[in-house]
Amino acid sequence: MSEQLKKREMKKNLGWATATSIVVGCVIGAGVFFKPYAIYQATGGAPGMGMLAWLVGGLMSIFGALTFAEVAILIPKTGGMVTYLTEAFDERLGFLAGWMQVVIFYPAFLAGYGVKVGTELAEYLGGWAVLPIALLVIVTLVAINARGSESAGGMQVVATVCKLVPLVLIIVFGFLRGEGGHAIVSPLVAEGKSAVGVFGSTLLAVLFAFEGWTNVGTIAGEMRNPARDLPLAIVGGVSIIMAVYLVINVAYLWVLPADQLMNLESPAAAVANVIFGQAGGTLIKVGIIISVIGAGNGFLMSGSRVAYQLAAEGTLPASERLAAINERHVPANSVILIGALACLYSIIGEFDLLTDLGVFSCWVFYTLTFACVIHLRRVHPEWERTYRVPGYPVVPALAIASGLYVIASQLFLSGQRAMLMSLASVAITLVGLPVFYAVRRKKQA
C-alpha cells in the first residue's frame, strides 16, 4: 500500500447515537412490515405460533447480541467478523467471513431492499419500474456514502426517526381504533399443521426480521469510545427492536385477524388503511419506503467497511484500490464495489430470494463468532475485558445453540428450495479459498 494511502485514516467520529441508529436502522427495514405475511402463511392463519416466534427470535437475538458485544469490544477494529475470526481462529476463516459478506450478504440485502422499494412504487408506476427504481436507490446511497461517514451516519439517524413514526402511529391508534377481540395467542397453528415444522419456518422468518444487529461491529474502528458505546448500541438496539416487534404485531392483530393478515403482503399498510383510511395507508407506505432505504444505507455503510478491511490486509484482488481512502476519509471504492454488486443482484428482482440468499451463510459465521467468546476466554485469559457477557457460559452457549438451530432448520426443515439455496451459498463462500491463496501467492511473488 502506498505511503499516501497509509497516511489517510478513517476518523473516529461516530458516537452511540449513530451506532444505535445503525443497529435499529439495519434491522427495522422490511421484516417488520412484510414478514407477518410469511409467518401467518406458515401457521395457516393462526396467531399463536407467530407471536411465540417473535418472542423467541427476540430472545435469541439478545443472547447473540450480549455474546457478540464481548468480542466486538475485545477487538474494537473496523472489519467486524473478519477481524474477530482472524484473531480468534485463523486468517483463512476470517477471510471467508469477509468474502461471504462482500460477495453475498451485503450486496444481496442491499439489492433486496432496492427491489422492495421498486416493488412498492411499481403499484403506482407499473411493473416496468421495479428495476430502474432499485438501481436508482442503490446508486443514490452509494453517492451519499461516498461523501463521508458523517453524511451516511446522519442519514441513518434521520431514516431511523422517520421509520419509527409510522410504527408508533400504528401501535397507538391500532389499539385506540382497532376492534380488538381477535385471537392473539391461540391457536398456535391451524388444524392439520405440525407445530414443530411451523415453528422452524416462523422462526426463520422472524430471524430475518432481526437481521442486521451485528453490522455496528464493522464500524467500531470509527467510534470515539467503542468500549462504552458499542455494548449500549448492540444490546440497547436489539432490545428496542424486540419491544417494537412484539407490540406492533399485537397491534396488527388488534385491527385485523391473523387469517386475513396471511393474505396481505404489506400488513402495516393494510392496517393503516383500516385505521386512517386510504390516505393513512399511503402515509404508512411512505414510512415503509423510508425504512427500507434506511436499512439499505446501513448495509452499504457496514458492507463497505468489510471490503475495506480485507483490502487493507491485501487479501482481495485490486486491494490497493479498494483500500484507498478518499479526501473525505471514506473507502469510496469499497462503497462502489458493494453498490455495483448490488446493482448486479437486483436484476434477479425477487426480494425473498435475495434476502434468503444471505441469511443462511451469515448465520454460519455468526455462530463461529459466538464461539470466539469461549475460545478467547480459554486461550487469552490475560486480555483486558472492559465488557464481559453476563451469564457466562450459559448465554454464549444459548447463542451458539440458536445459530446451530438456524443452520439445521435451513438445511433440513425448510424445504428443498431453502436447502439448495443454502448449499449454493456455501459453494460461493468456498470459492473464496482459491481467491485467498491466489492473492497471497501474488503478494509473495
Side-chain angles (χ1 to χ4, degrees):
M1 192 180 300
S2 68
E3 290 300 318
Q4 182 180 9
L5 294 180
K6 288 181 180 178
K7 292 178 182 178
R8 288 182 177 175
E9 297 179 353
M10 290 186 289
K11 290 183 178 179
K12 294 181 179 293
N13 55 11
L14 302 181
W16 69 268
T18 298
T20 300
S21 71
I22 289 173
V23 176
V24 177
C26 284
V27 175
I28 302 181
V32 67
F33 299 116
F34 302 110
K35 284 301 179 181
Y37 163 76
I39 289 170
Y40 295 126
Q41 281 277 323
T43 66
M49 188 62 76
M51 293 304 299
L52 179 63
W54 285 111
L55 177 61
V56 174
L59 291 174
M60 288 171 63
S61 298
I62 290 289
F63 295 147
L66 289 169
T67 304
F68 189 90
E70 179 171 323
V71 185
I73 292 299
L74 196 61
I75 310 172
K77 300 177 182 178
T78 293
M81 288 193 298
V82 176
T83 303
Y84 311 153
L85 292 173
T86 295
E87 297 207 12
F89 294 118
D90 182 86
E91 63 177 338
R92 290 166 296 186
L93 187 59
F95 174 79
L96 286 181
W99 172 263
M100 175 275 301
Q101 289 176 312
V102 169
V103 302
I104 302 176
F105 181 75
Y106 286 111
F109 266 62
L110 176 56
Y113 289 132
V115 167
K116 180 53 68 177
V117 173
T119 302
E120 291 297 298
L121 294 179
E123 293 185 16
Y124 308 99
L125 301 174
W128 65 268
V130 174
L131 181 58
I133 291 173
L135 295 175
L136 178 62
V137 168
I138 294 167
V139 171
T140 301
L141 291 177
V142 167
I144 292 172
N145 275 264
R147 287 183 56 84
S149 59
E150 289 177 316
S151 298
M155 175 185 174
Q156 198 65 45
V157 173
V158 172
T160 300
V161 172
C162 290
K163 77 178 60 178
L164 291 178
V165 170
L167 289 175
V168 171
L169 290 176
I170 290 178
I171 290 171
V172 172
F173 288 97
F175 289 120
L176 289 176
R177 297 184 180 180
E179 295 181 0
H182 304 139
I184 294 176
V185 297
S186 65
L188 282 177
V189 295
E191 187 175 350
K193 291 276 187 177
S194 166
V196 174
V198 167
F199 182 68
S201 299
T202 56
L203 188 58
L204 285 171
V206 165
L207 288 174
F208 161 74
F210 278 96
E211 185 60 62
W213 53 263
T214 59
N215 287 349
V216 71
T218 64
I219 60 167
E222 295 170 79
M223 296 180 70
R224 288 188 293 266
N225 190 345
R228 181 195 66 194
D229 294 340
L230 197 56
L232 290 174
I234 295 175
V235 178
V238 175
S239 298
I240 291 170
I241 293 158
M242 180 180 176
V244 170
Y245 281 0
L246 284 171
V247 176
I248 193 68
N249 277 277
V250 173
Y252 289 159
L253 293 170
W254 200 259
V255 177
L256 292 172
D259 58 1
Q260 290 187 34
L261 291 173
M262 68 178 288
N263 297 314
L264 300 170
E265 294 189 21
S266 184
V271 167
N273 280 336
V274 174
I275 300 172
F276 302 113
Q278 188 64 40
T282 301
L283 178 63
I284 294 302
K285 181 158 287 191
V286 171
I288 291 173
I289 291 172
I290 293 173
S291 174
V292 173
I293 292 173
N297 180 70
F299 274 82
L300 175 59
M301 188 176 183
S302 299
S304 60
R305 271 55 179 184
V306 175
Y308 164 80
Q309 182 69 19
L310 292 176
E313 294 171 356
T315 56
L316 282 180
S319 286
E320 185 157 335
R321 289 187 179 182
L322 292 174
I325 303 297
N326 67 11
E327 66 279 2
R328 296 180 181 273
H329 303 276
V330 172
N333 290 336
S334 291
V335 172
I336 293 170
L337 172 64
I338 299 298
L341 289 173
C343 288
L344 183 63
Y345 277 124
S346 66
I347 296 173
I348 296 173
E350 293 185 33
F351 170 74
D352 287 328
L353 179 61
L354 288 164
T355 52
D356 288 349
L357 185 64
V359 170
F360 170 84
S361 53
C362 207
W363 265 93
V364 172
F365 291 96
Y366 286 171
T367 306
L368 290 169
T369 303
F370 300 153
C372 285
V373 171
I374 297 174
H375 177 70
L376 290 174
R377 289 274 190 109
R378 182 175 59 84
V379 300
H380 289 295
E382 77 282 2
W383 285 7
E384 181 183 0
R385 289 167 171 81
T386 57
Y387 167 85
R388 290 175 176 265
V389 57
Y392 181 90
V394 175
V395 170
L398 289 172
I400 293 169
S402 299
L404 292 175
Y405 177 79
V406 170
I407 296 167
S409 294
Q410 282 287 82
L411 288 173
F412 306 114
L413 300 177
S414 300
Q416 185 177 12
R417 181 174 181 268
M419 180 185 69
L420 292 175
M421 286 183 54
S422 299
L423 293 175
S425 70
V426 171
I428 295 172
T429 300
L430 292 177
V431 168
L433 280 176
V435 172
F436 173 82
Y437 287 117
V439 172
R440 189 165 70 172
R441 282 196 301 270
K442 183 177 180 180
K443 288 170 61 178
Q444 293 173 345

